[in-house]
Amino acid sequence: MGPAPLGLPRLHLRAIGSTNERARELAAAGTPGGTLVTAALQTAGRGRQGRSWSAPAGRALLCSLILRDPPALLPLRAGVAVAELADAAAAGAFGVSAAADRAGTDDGRSAAQVKWPNDVLVGGRKLAGILVEGRPQEGWVVLGIGINVAVRPSDLDAELRARAGSLGLEPEAVEPVLGSLLGRLQRWLEAPGEEVLAALRARDALRGRSVAWAEGEGTAAGIDDEGRLLVDSGGVRVALNAGEVHLLGAR
Ligand code: BTN
């Protein structure tokens, strides 16, 4: 018997603090890999770097997948899968999207980009966030993904409206988007590392741009074979492993 398909069993909740938190509890209690937790609303959604993640009820895909023995480059694999899904949505795979609601794209056709390590941007706006949390020593991680499927500008406060993107679809699209995401994840979790890196490099939102991180500033110079972000800074090439990178001069 092969591994269980991704997304089964599935626990769907109308409201929960954080799907990642619930999935972590389940994983720690021995729930098998492939198990998925979804919710229509999170009241304490978690983002990277200790930030919060909020989305209007029923208008975003909020999901957390338990993975046992996760592959290397997991956060990058997930970013590529979500970016590919965003392109499919822009091409009409889930119905016609409302141009006014869609993520700041001029024509809705520009390819989704990944801001290392895994923010998915469309038209420079953040469409989706990915949070990987886990206990490597216990052999499990939780892959949490939030995608603004049907979020309208009017759902967001002014600050978020300027930065957040949306697929511009209707709430009914959340389930089909989940189905498509699981299929793409299945493929990208199994893909050879070189293929993942090539796909990521083709979508690199930072390359050639001025960036800042906790210890410095420089020009992003691509992604190395270990999936690290390369930055040229003061004549030296640095490889960043983790952490937050800001685009300078960005919104
Ligand atoms: C980020 O800061 O970009 C990551 C955001 C991750 C949000 C998702 S929504 C589903 C899952 N549950 C959470 O509490 N967070 C992740």
PDB file of all heavy atoms in Angstrom, residues 17-21 37 42 44-49 51-53 61-64 118-119 126 128-133 142-147, ligand 1:
ATOM      1  N   GLY A  17      -9.566  28.588  16.427  1.00  0.00           N
ATOM      2  CA  GLY A  17      -8.517  29.585  16.635  1.00  0.00           C
ATOM      3  C   GLY A  17      -7.572  29.566  15.444  1.00  0.00           C
ATOM      4  O   GLY A  17      -7.469  30.526  14.686  1.00  0.00           O
ATOM      5  N   SER A  18      -6.890  28.432  15.260  1.00  0.00           N
ATOM      6  CA  SER A  18      -5.919  28.298  14.175  1.00  0.00           C
ATOM      7  C   SER A  18      -5.913  26.847  13.691  1.00  0.00           C
ATOM      8  O   SER A  18      -5.780  25.929  14.520  1.00  0.00           O
ATOM      9  CB  SER A  18      -4.527  28.695  14.689  1.00  0.00           C
ATOM     10  OG  SER A  18      -3.514  28.072  13.942  1.00  0.00           O
ATOM     11  N   THR A  19      -6.063  26.645  12.405  1.00  0.00           N
ATOM     12  CA  THR A  19      -6.005  25.264  11.883  1.00  0.00           C
ATOM     13  C   THR A  19      -4.626  24.668  12.138  1.00  0.00           C
ATOM     14  O   THR A  19      -4.496  23.458  12.352  1.00  0.00           O
ATOM     15  CB  THR A  19      -6.327  25.218  10.368  1.00  0.00           C
ATOM     16  OG1 THR A  19      -5.431  26.094   9.679  1.00  0.00           O
ATOM     17  CG2 THR A  19      -7.773  25.610  10.096  1.00  0.00           C
ATOM     18  N   ASN A  20      -3.586  25.499  12.107  1.00  0.00           N
ATOM     19  CA  ASN A  20      -2.243  24.968  12.389  1.00  0.00           C
ATOM     20  C   ASN A  20      -2.160  24.432  13.815  1.00  0.00           C
ATOM     21  O   ASN A  20      -1.564  23.379  14.064  1.00  0.00           O
ATOM     22  CB  ASN A  20      -1.179  26.063  12.193  1.00  0.00           C
ATOM     23  CG  ASN A  20      -0.458  25.928  10.869  1.00  0.00           C
ATOM     24  OD1 ASN A  20      -1.084  25.562   9.873  1.00  0.00           O
ATOM     25  ND2 ASN A  20       0.824  26.232  10.836  1.00  0.00           N
ATOM     26  N   GLU A  21      -2.758  25.188  14.737  1.00  0.00           N
ATOM     27  CA  GLU A  21      -2.699  24.767  16.135  1.00  0.00           C
ATOM     28  C   GLU A  21      -3.408  23.416  16.304  1.00  0.00           C
ATOM     29  O   GLU A  21      -2.888  22.509  16.938  1.00  0.00           O
ATOM     30  CB  GLU A  21      -3.361  25.853  17.002  1.00  0.00           C
ATOM     31  CG  GLU A  21      -3.219  25.632  18.491  1.00  0.00           C
ATOM     32  CD  GLU A  21      -1.763  25.491  18.937  1.00  0.00           C
ATOM     33  OE1 GLU A  21      -0.905  26.205  18.381  1.00  0.00           O
ATOM     34  OE2 GLU A  21      -1.499  24.649  19.831  1.00  0.00           O
ATOM     35  N   VAL A  37      -6.707  19.673   8.214  1.00  0.00           N
ATOM     36  CA  VAL A  37      -7.651  20.466   9.014  1.00  0.00           C
ATOM     37  C   VAL A  37      -7.983  21.715   8.214  1.00  0.00           C
ATOM     38  O   VAL A  37      -7.074  22.407   7.735  1.00  0.00           O
ATOM     39  CB  VAL A  37      -7.031  20.866  10.376  1.00  0.00           C
ATOM     40  CG1 VAL A  37      -8.037  21.691  11.183  1.00  0.00           C
ATOM     41  CG2 VAL A  37      -6.593  19.638  11.164  1.00  0.00           C
ATOM     42  N   GLN A  42     -10.901  31.546  11.079  1.00  0.00           N
ATOM     43  CA  GLN A  42      -9.921  31.413  12.168  1.00  0.00           C
ATOM     44  C   GLN A  42     -10.026  32.666  13.041  1.00  0.00           C
ATOM     45  O   GLN A  42     -10.067  33.786  12.520  1.00  0.00           O
ATOM     46  CB  GLN A  42      -8.498  31.326  11.629  1.00  0.00           C
ATOM     47  CG  GLN A  42      -8.203  30.039  10.882  1.00  0.00           C
ATOM     48  CD  GLN A  42      -6.735  29.924  10.493  1.00  0.00           C
ATOM     49  OE1 GLN A  42      -6.108  28.912  10.721  1.00  0.00           O
ATOM     50  NE2 GLN A  42      -6.201  30.971   9.876  1.00  0.00           N
ATOM     51  N   ALA A  44      -7.768  33.112  15.566  1.00  0.00           N
ATOM     52  CA  ALA A  44      -6.397  33.414  16.011  1.00  0.00           C
ATOM     53  C   ALA A  44      -5.423  32.823  14.986  1.00  0.00           C
ATOM     54  O   ALA A  44      -4.518  32.064  15.339  1.00  0.00           O
ATOM     55  CB  ALA A  44      -6.156  32.843  17.397  1.00  0.00           C
ATOM     56  N   GLY A  45      -5.660  33.158  13.705  1.00  0.00           N
ATOM     57  CA  GLY A  45      -4.812  32.640  12.630  1.00  0.00           C
ATOM     58  C   GLY A  45      -3.376  33.115  12.821  1.00  0.00           C
ATOM     59  O   GLY A  45      -3.140  34.267  13.189  1.00  0.00           O
ATOM     60  N   ARG A  46      -2.458  32.217  12.572  1.00  0.00           N
ATOM     61  CA  ARG A  46      -1.046  32.547  12.809  1.00  0.00           C
ATOM     62  C   ARG A  46      -0.298  32.769  11.509  1.00  0.00           C
ATOM     63  O   ARG A  46      -0.466  32.021  10.541  1.00  0.00           O
ATOM     64  CB  ARG A  46      -0.378  31.392  13.549  1.00  0.00           C
ATOM     65  CG  ARG A  46      -0.803  31.275  14.971  1.00  0.00           C
ATOM     66  CD  ARG A  46       0.322  30.719  15.801  1.00  0.00           C
ATOM     67  NE  ARG A  46       0.608  29.341  15.478  1.00  0.00           N
ATOM     68  CZ  ARG A  46       0.217  28.317  16.227  1.00  0.00           C
ATOM     69  NH1 ARG A  46      -0.476  28.522  17.321  1.00  0.00           N
ATOM     70  NH2 ARG A  46       0.542  27.098  15.894  1.00  0.00           N
ATOM     71  N   GLY A  47       0.558  33.780  11.501  1.00  0.00           N
ATOM     72  CA  GLY A  47       1.435  34.024  10.368  1.00  0.00           C
ATOM     73  C   GLY A  47       2.876  33.748  10.742  1.00  0.00           C
ATOM     74  O   GLY A  47       3.160  33.316  11.865  1.00  0.00           O
ATOM     75  N   ARG A  48       3.776  33.999   9.813  1.00  0.00           N
ATOM     76  CA  ARG A  48       5.200  33.809  10.095  1.00  0.00           C
ATOM     77  C   ARG A  48       5.674  34.921  11.017  1.00  0.00           C
ATOM     78  O   ARG A  48       5.041  35.957  11.143  1.00  0.00           O
ATOM     79  CB  ARG A  48       6.002  33.813   8.787  1.00  0.00           C
ATOM     80  CG  ARG A  48       5.655  32.624   7.884  1.00  0.00           C
ATOM     81  CD  ARG A  48       6.440  32.674   6.576  1.00  0.00           C
ATOM     82  NE  ARG A  48       7.843  32.538   6.801  1.00  0.00           N
ATOM     83  CZ  ARG A  48       8.779  33.382   6.336  1.00  0.00           C
ATOM     84  NH1 ARG A  48       8.439  34.404   5.592  1.00  0.00           N
ATOM     85  NH2 ARG A  48      10.048  33.182   6.595  1.00  0.00           N
ATOM     86  N   GLN A  49       6.836  34.696  11.622  1.00  0.00           N
ATOM     87  CA  GLN A  49       7.485  35.701  12.455  1.00  0.00           C
ATOM     88  C   GLN A  49       6.570  36.210  13.573  1.00  0.00           C
ATOM     89  O   GLN A  49       6.588  37.398  13.896  1.00  0.00           O
ATOM     90  CB  GLN A  49       7.952  36.893  11.593  1.00  0.00           C
ATOM     91  CG  GLN A  49       8.742  36.513  10.359  1.00  0.00           C
ATOM     92  CD  GLN A  49      10.134  35.970  10.701  1.00  0.00           C
ATOM     93  OE1 GLN A  49      10.780  36.457  11.625  1.00  0.00           O
ATOM     94  NE2 GLN A  49      10.590  34.971   9.996  1.00  0.00           N
ATOM     95  N   ARG A  51       3.503  36.855  13.570  1.00  0.00           N
ATOM     96  CA  ARG A  51       2.399  37.747  13.185  1.00  0.00           C
ATOM     97  C   ARG A  51       1.075  36.991  13.196  1.00  0.00           C
ATOM     98  O   ARG A  51       1.035  35.764  13.266  1.00  0.00           O
ATOM     99  CB  ARG A  51       2.650  38.319  11.792  1.00  0.00           C
ATOM    100  CG  ARG A  51       3.706  39.414  11.767  1.00  0.00           C
ATOM    101  CD  ARG A  51       3.761  40.036  10.404  1.00  0.00           C
ATOM    102  NE  ARG A  51       4.165  39.053   9.423  1.00  0.00           N
ATOM    103  CZ  ARG A  51       5.373  38.991   8.851  1.00  0.00           C
ATOM    104  NH1 ARG A  51       6.285  39.866   9.181  1.00  0.00           N
ATOM    105  NH2 ARG A  51       5.648  38.070   7.973  1.00  0.00           N
ATOM    106  N   SER A  52      -0.022  37.755  13.075  1.00  0.00           N
ATOM    107  CA  SER A  52      -1.330  37.094  12.965  1.00  0.00           C
ATOM    108  C   SER A  52      -1.715  37.026  11.494  1.00  0.00           C
ATOM    109  O   SER A  52      -1.093  37.671  10.643  1.00  0.00           O
ATOM    110  CB  SER A  52      -2.379  37.867  13.764  1.00  0.00           C
ATOM    111  OG  SER A  52      -2.527  39.145  13.220  1.00  0.00           O
ATOM    112  N   TRP A  53      -2.727  36.194  11.194  1.00  0.00           N
ATOM    113  CA  TRP A  53      -3.194  36.036   9.823  1.00  0.00           C
ATOM    114  C   TRP A  53      -4.713  36.099   9.869  1.00  0.00           C
ATOM    115  O   TRP A  53      -5.341  35.302  10.553  1.00  0.00           O
ATOM    116  CB  TRP A  53      -2.739  34.691   9.253  1.00  0.00           C
ATOM    117  CG  TRP A  53      -3.189  34.446   7.842  1.00  0.00           C
ATOM    118  CD1 TRP A  53      -4.304  33.760   7.450  1.00  0.00           C
ATOM    119  CD2 TRP A  53      -2.542  34.881   6.646  1.00  0.00           C
ATOM    120  NE1 TRP A  53      -4.378  33.746   6.066  1.00  0.00           N
ATOM    121  CE2 TRP A  53      -3.318  34.433   5.559  1.00  0.00           C
ATOM    122  CE3 TRP A  53      -1.379  35.624   6.390  1.00  0.00           C
ATOM    123  CZ2 TRP A  53      -2.971  34.679   4.234  1.00  0.00           C
ATOM    124  CZ3 TRP A  53      -1.040  35.865   5.076  1.00  0.00           C
ATOM    125  CH2 TRP A  53      -1.815  35.395   4.011  1.00  0.00           C
ATOM    126  N   LEU A  61      -9.248  30.103   1.689  1.00  0.00           N
ATOM    127  CA  LEU A  61      -8.922  28.712   1.990  1.00  0.00           C
ATOM    128  C   LEU A  61      -7.948  28.744   3.166  1.00  0.00           C
ATOM    129  O   LEU A  61      -6.883  29.370   3.078  1.00  0.00           O
ATOM    130  CB  LEU A  61      -8.275  28.044   0.775  1.00  0.00           C
ATOM    131  CG  LEU A  61      -7.726  26.646   1.019  1.00  0.00           C
ATOM    132  CD1 LEU A  61      -8.831  25.691   1.449  1.00  0.00           C
ATOM    133  CD2 LEU A  61      -7.039  26.112  -0.227  1.00  0.00           C
ATOM    134  N   LEU A  62      -8.348  28.104   4.249  1.00  0.00           N
ATOM    135  CA  LEU A  62      -7.511  28.059   5.455  1.00  0.00           C
ATOM    136  C   LEU A  62      -7.294  26.591   5.773  1.00  0.00           C
ATOM    137  O   LEU A  62      -8.239  25.885   6.134  1.00  0.00           O
ATOM    138  CB  LEU A  62      -8.231  28.745   6.626  1.00  0.00           C
ATOM    139  CG  LEU A  62      -8.684  30.194   6.356  1.00  0.00           C
ATOM    140  CD1 LEU A  62      -9.643  30.678   7.437  1.00  0.00           C
ATOM    141  CD2 LEU A  62      -7.477  31.115   6.251  1.00  0.00           C
ATOM    142  N   CYS A  63      -6.083  26.111   5.581  1.00  0.00           N
ATOM    143  CA  CYS A  63      -5.894  24.672   5.753  1.00  0.00           C
ATOM    144  C   CYS A  63      -4.523  24.344   6.336  1.00  0.00           C
ATOM    145  O   CYS A  63      -3.561  25.104   6.183  1.00  0.00           O
ATOM    146  CB  CYS A  63      -6.095  23.958   4.413  1.00  0.00           C
ATOM    147  SG  CYS A  63      -4.890  24.335   3.148  1.00  0.00           S
ATOM    148  N   SER A  64      -4.483  23.222   7.011  1.00  0.00           N
ATOM    149  CA  SER A  64      -3.232  22.738   7.606  1.00  0.00           C
ATOM    150  C   SER A  64      -3.140  21.238   7.384  1.00  0.00           C
ATOM    151  O   SER A  64      -4.056  20.492   7.740  1.00  0.00           O
ATOM    152  CB  SER A  64      -3.206  23.029   9.108  1.00  0.00           C
ATOM    153  OG  SER A  64      -3.285  24.423   9.330  1.00  0.00           O
ATOM    154  N   ASN A 118       8.362  31.837   0.795  1.00  0.00           N
ATOM    155  CA  ASN A 118       7.118  31.262   0.248  1.00  0.00           C
ATOM    156  C   ASN A 118       5.901  32.170   0.285  1.00  0.00           C
ATOM    157  O   ASN A 118       4.779  31.683   0.324  1.00  0.00           O
ATOM    158  CB  ASN A 118       6.795  29.923   0.928  1.00  0.00           C
ATOM    159  CG  ASN A 118       6.734  30.053   2.432  1.00  0.00           C
ATOM    160  OD1 ASN A 118       6.528  31.138   2.935  1.00  0.00           O
ATOM    161  ND2 ASN A 118       6.917  28.962   3.123  1.00  0.00           N
ATOM    162  N   ASP A 119       6.099  33.485   0.225  1.00  0.00           N
ATOM    163  CA  ASP A 119       4.933  34.356   0.043  1.00  0.00           C
ATOM    164  C   ASP A 119       4.577  34.310  -1.432  1.00  0.00           C
ATOM    165  O   ASP A 119       5.447  34.514  -2.289  1.00  0.00           O
ATOM    166  CB  ASP A 119       5.263  35.813   0.385  1.00  0.00           C
ATOM    167  CG  ASP A 119       5.345  36.057   1.875  1.00  0.00           C
ATOM    168  OD1 ASP A 119       4.930  35.173   2.644  1.00  0.00           O
ATOM    169  OD2 ASP A 119       5.827  37.135   2.254  1.00  0.00           O
ATOM    170  N   LYS A 126       0.272  40.186  -1.878  1.00  0.00           N
ATOM    171  CA  LYS A 126       0.355  38.852  -1.274  1.00  0.00           C
ATOM    172  C   LYS A 126      -1.006  38.160  -1.305  1.00  0.00           C
ATOM    173  O   LYS A 126      -1.956  38.592  -0.668  1.00  0.00           O
ATOM    174  CB  LYS A 126       0.866  38.985   0.161  1.00  0.00           C
ATOM    175  CG  LYS A 126       1.043  37.659   0.856  1.00  0.00           C
ATOM    176  CD  LYS A 126       1.941  37.806   2.070  1.00  0.00           C
ATOM    177  CE  LYS A 126       1.821  36.633   2.998  1.00  0.00           C
ATOM    178  NZ  LYS A 126       2.811  36.650   4.068  1.00  0.00           N
ATOM    179  N   ALA A 128      -1.237  34.691  -0.799  1.00  0.00           N
ATOM    180  CA  ALA A 128      -1.255  33.507   0.062  1.00  0.00           C
ATOM    181  C   ALA A 128      -0.053  33.525   0.993  1.00  0.00           C
ATOM    182  O   ALA A 128       1.002  34.062   0.659  1.00  0.00           O
ATOM    183  CB  ALA A 128      -1.205  32.247  -0.807  1.00  0.00           C
ATOM    184  N   GLY A 129      -0.256  32.922   2.157  1.00  0.00           N
ATOM    185  CA  GLY A 129       0.837  32.777   3.113  1.00  0.00           C
ATOM    186  C   GLY A 129       0.975  31.320   3.515  1.00  0.00           C
ATOM    187  O   GLY A 129      -0.007  30.569   3.523  1.00  0.00           O
ATOM    188  N   ILE A 130       2.185  30.939   3.820  1.00  0.00           N
ATOM    189  CA  ILE A 130       2.487  29.542   4.157  1.00  0.00           C
ATOM    190  C   ILE A 130       3.276  29.525   5.459  1.00  0.00           C
ATOM    191  O   ILE A 130       4.237  30.284   5.611  1.00  0.00           O
ATOM    192  CB  ILE A 130       3.295  28.899   3.007  1.00  0.00           C
ATOM    193  CG1 ILE A 130       2.421  28.837   1.748  1.00  0.00           C
ATOM    194  CG2 ILE A 130       3.803  27.512   3.400  1.00  0.00           C
ATOM    195  CD1 ILE A 130       3.157  28.477   0.486  1.00  0.00           C
ATOM    196  N   LEU A 131       2.834  28.695   6.373  1.00  0.00           N
ATOM    197  CA  LEU A 131       3.510  28.598   7.669  1.00  0.00           C
ATOM    198  C   LEU A 131       3.785  27.132   7.972  1.00  0.00           C
ATOM    199  O   LEU A 131       2.852  26.350   8.157  1.00  0.00           O
ATOM    200  CB  LEU A 131       2.604  29.205   8.758  1.00  0.00           C
ATOM    201  CG  LEU A 131       3.107  29.115  10.193  1.00  0.00           C
ATOM    202  CD1 LEU A 131       4.386  29.937  10.378  1.00  0.00           C
ATOM    203  CD2 LEU A 131       2.031  29.606  11.166  1.00  0.00           C
ATOM    204  N   VAL A 132       5.050  26.772   7.998  1.00  0.00           N
ATOM    205  CA  VAL A 132       5.433  25.387   8.307  1.00  0.00           C
ATOM    206  C   VAL A 132       5.895  25.348   9.760  1.00  0.00           C
ATOM    207  O   VAL A 132       6.789  26.097  10.156  1.00  0.00           O
ATOM    208  CB  VAL A 132       6.569  24.901   7.378  1.00  0.00           C
ATOM    209  CG1 VAL A 132       6.961  23.468   7.720  1.00  0.00           C
ATOM    210  CG2 VAL A 132       6.150  25.001   5.920  1.00  0.00           C
ATOM    211  N   GLU A 133       5.253  24.507  10.552  1.00  0.00           N
ATOM    212  CA  GLU A 133       5.622  24.375  11.958  1.00  0.00           C
ATOM    213  C   GLU A 133       5.772  22.890  12.254  1.00  0.00           C
ATOM    214  O   GLU A 133       5.060  22.082  11.657  1.00  0.00           O
ATOM    215  CB  GLU A 133       4.512  24.909  12.870  1.00  0.00           C
ATOM    216  CG  GLU A 133       4.162  26.363  12.644  1.00  0.00           C
ATOM    217  CD  GLU A 133       3.093  26.819  13.626  1.00  0.00           C
ATOM    218  OE1 GLU A 133       1.941  26.402  13.483  1.00  0.00           O
ATOM    219  OE2 GLU A 133       3.430  27.587  14.525  1.00  0.00           O
ATOM    220  N   VAL A 142       3.551  20.447  10.261  1.00  0.00           N
ATOM    221  CA  VAL A 142       2.243  20.926   9.817  1.00  0.00           C
ATOM    222  C   VAL A 142       2.503  22.004   8.771  1.00  0.00           C
ATOM    223  O   VAL A 142       3.256  22.950   9.007  1.00  0.00           O
ATOM    224  CB  VAL A 142       1.430  21.490  11.003  1.00  0.00           C
ATOM    225  CG1 VAL A 142       0.235  22.286  10.504  1.00  0.00           C
ATOM    226  CG2 VAL A 142       0.977  20.348  11.906  1.00  0.00           C
ATOM    227  N   LEU A 143       1.890  21.785   7.607  1.00  0.00           N
ATOM    228  CA  LEU A 143       2.017  22.746   6.513  1.00  0.00           C
ATOM    229  C   LEU A 143       0.720  23.552   6.479  1.00  0.00           C
ATOM    230  O   LEU A 143      -0.330  23.022   6.096  1.00  0.00           O
ATOM    231  CB  LEU A 143       2.226  21.979   5.194  1.00  0.00           C
ATOM    232  CG  LEU A 143       2.155  22.779   3.897  1.00  0.00           C
ATOM    233  CD1 LEU A 143       3.225  23.863   3.859  1.00  0.00           C
ATOM    234  CD2 LEU A 143       2.312  21.840   2.694  1.00  0.00           C
ATOM    235  N   GLY A 144       0.799  24.798   6.909  1.00  0.00           N
ATOM    236  CA  GLY A 144      -0.394  25.658   6.961  1.00  0.00           C
ATOM    237  C   GLY A 144      -0.399  26.609   5.774  1.00  0.00           C
ATOM    238  O   GLY A 144       0.612  27.253   5.480  1.00  0.00           O
ATOM    239  N   ILE A 145      -1.535  26.672   5.106  1.00  0.00           N
ATOM    240  CA  ILE A 145      -1.635  27.522   3.915  1.00  0.00           C
ATOM    241  C   ILE A 145      -2.921  28.347   3.999  1.00  0.00           C
ATOM    242  O   ILE A 145      -4.004  27.809   4.278  1.00  0.00           O
ATOM    243  CB  ILE A 145      -1.648  26.666   2.622  1.00  0.00           C
ATOM    244  CG1 ILE A 145      -0.379  25.821   2.543  1.00  0.00           C
ATOM    245  CG2 ILE A 145      -1.783  27.564   1.385  1.00  0.00           C
ATOM    246  CD1 ILE A 145      -0.267  24.937   1.298  1.00  0.00           C
ATOM    247  N   GLY A 146      -2.795  29.619   3.761  1.00  0.00           N
ATOM    248  CA  GLY A 146      -3.956  30.500   3.669  1.00  0.00           C
ATOM    249  C   GLY A 146      -3.967  31.157   2.297  1.00  0.00           C
ATOM    250  O   GLY A 146      -2.966  31.752   1.897  1.00  0.00           O
ATOM    251  N   ILE A 147      -5.069  31.009   1.565  1.00  0.00           N
ATOM    252  CA  ILE A 147      -5.163  31.600   0.227  1.00  0.00           C
ATOM    253  C   ILE A 147      -6.418  32.476   0.174  1.00  0.00           C
ATOM    254  O   ILE A 147      -7.527  32.006   0.474  1.00  0.00           O
ATOM    255  CB  ILE A 147      -5.257  30.528  -0.885  1.00  0.00           C
ATOM    256  CG1 ILE A 147      -4.078  29.561  -0.809  1.00  0.00           C
ATOM    257  CG2 ILE A 147      -5.312  31.192  -2.266  1.00  0.00           C
ATOM    258  CD1 ILE A 147      -4.123  28.431  -1.849  1.00  0.00           C
TER     259      ILE A 147
HETATM  260  C1  BTN B   1       2.437  34.122   6.586  1.00  0.00           C
HETATM  261  O1  BTN B   1       2.711  34.862   7.536  1.00  0.00           O
HETATM  262  O2  BTN B   1       2.631  34.483   5.427  1.00  0.00           O
HETATM  263  C2  BTN B   1       1.904  32.737   6.808  1.00  0.00           C
HETATM  264  C3  BTN B   1       0.419  32.732   6.962  1.00  0.00           C
HETATM  265  C4  BTN B   1      -0.146  31.341   7.132  1.00  0.00           C
HETATM  266  C5  BTN B   1      -1.636  31.361   7.340  1.00  0.00           C
HETATM  267  C6  BTN B   1      -2.238  29.987   7.361  1.00  0.00           C
HETATM  268  S1  BTN B   1      -3.993  30.048   7.339  1.00  0.00           S
HETATM  269  C7  BTN B   1      -4.102  28.356   7.710  1.00  0.00           C
HETATM  270  C8  BTN B   1      -2.992  28.045   8.704  1.00  0.00           C
HETATM  271  N1  BTN B   1      -3.431  28.259  10.070  1.00  0.00           N
HETATM  272  C9  BTN B   1      -2.801  29.270  10.664  1.00  0.00           C
HETATM  273  O3  BTN B   1      -3.006  29.674  11.826  1.00  0.00           O
HETATM  274  N2  BTN B   1      -1.901  29.806   9.810  1.00  0.00           N
HETATM  275  C10 BTN B   1      -1.889  29.099   8.543  1.00  0.00           C
END
